[in-house]
Amino acid sequence: MPTDEQLAFELLRRSDYGRVATSMRALPFLAAARHVVVDGKILLRMHKGYGYHHACVGSVVAYGADNLNVASARDGQWTVQLVGVCEAVEPTNAELELFGPTPHFADGELFDPVYLRIEPQFATVHTLQAGHDRSLQYIL
C-alpha cells in the first residue's frame, strides 16, 4: 500500500496545475501554479509579475491540486494537499522541459516565469467514489 505522499505524487503527475496557499501581509491567498514532481519535491512555475512568489519563498505553504472538474464521483475524484517550506530555485534544463512551453501572457502582460520548490513535510489525499448504482423504484 503506498503512503499518502507516494499516492499524492502519483496523482499530481496526472494534473498540470494546482493552487499554492500562504499568507501575504497577514491575509490568506491562493495562487494558481504549474507544477511538476521531481525527486520527491514539487517544482512550481508562476508569473513573477504578480509578486506572489515573495510571500511563498521562505514560508510554509500548502499546495493543492485535484481532478474535481474533469471526473465524476463514478469515475473517481481526488484531491491532494502537500505542506512544506517553499524556496526559490533555478531549474535545470531537464526540469524546464518537464514544464513544457510557458504561457505567452498573464493578464495581458508578458509571462515572466519564476520557479519555486516545495519539499513536502506531509501530504493528504482524499478520494470520492460513487457507491453502487441505485435503480429508481416507483410506488403505485
Side-chain angles (χ1 to χ4, degrees):
M1 191 74 158
T3 66
D4 275 355
E5 189 170 286
Q6 291 168 329
L7 181 56
F9 290 149
E10 179 184 322
L11 293 171
L12 283 174
R13 286 184 180 99
R14 298 180 190 180
S15 66
D16 292 332
Y17 287 86
R19 290 159 212 84
V20 63
T22 191
S23 63
M24 185 183 303
R25 293 184 282 286
L27 297 173
F29 79 92
L30 292 173
R34 171 78 168 94
H35 68 261
V36 295
V37 178
V38 178
D39 296 329
K41 297 172 181 66
I42 307 301
L43 295 181
L44 304 179
R45 178 178 68 196
M46 300 172 66
H47 176 53
K48 187 185 287 185
Y50 298 142
Y52 297 152
H53 62 288
H54 294 297
C56 296
V57 173
S59 298
V60 173
V61 302
Y63 187 75
D66 58 64
N67 74 341
L68 299 176
N69 67 330
V70 295
S72 68
R74 178 172 290 150
D75 298 328
Q77 295 172 310
W78 53 264
T79 64
V80 168
Q81 178 177 295
L82 301 161
V83 175
V85 176
C86 184
E87 62 181 329
V89 295
E90 191 62 42
T92 65
N93 288 335
E95 291 168 342
L96 288 173
E97 286 182 25
L98 293 173
F99 281 106
T102 59
H104 295 289
F105 300 97
D107 292 339
E109 296 179 18
L110 285 175
F111 187 86
D112 186 12
V114 62
Y115 297 91
L116 308 172
R117 177 174 40 230
I118 302 169
E119 186 167 346
Q121 301 303 305
F122 67 88
T124 306
V125 176
H126 295 289
T127 58
L128 301 171
Q129 199 80 31
H132 296 290
D133 288 337
R134 301 165 111 189
S135 54
L136 295 175
Q137 296 179 353
Y138 294 96
I139 300 174
L140 299 174

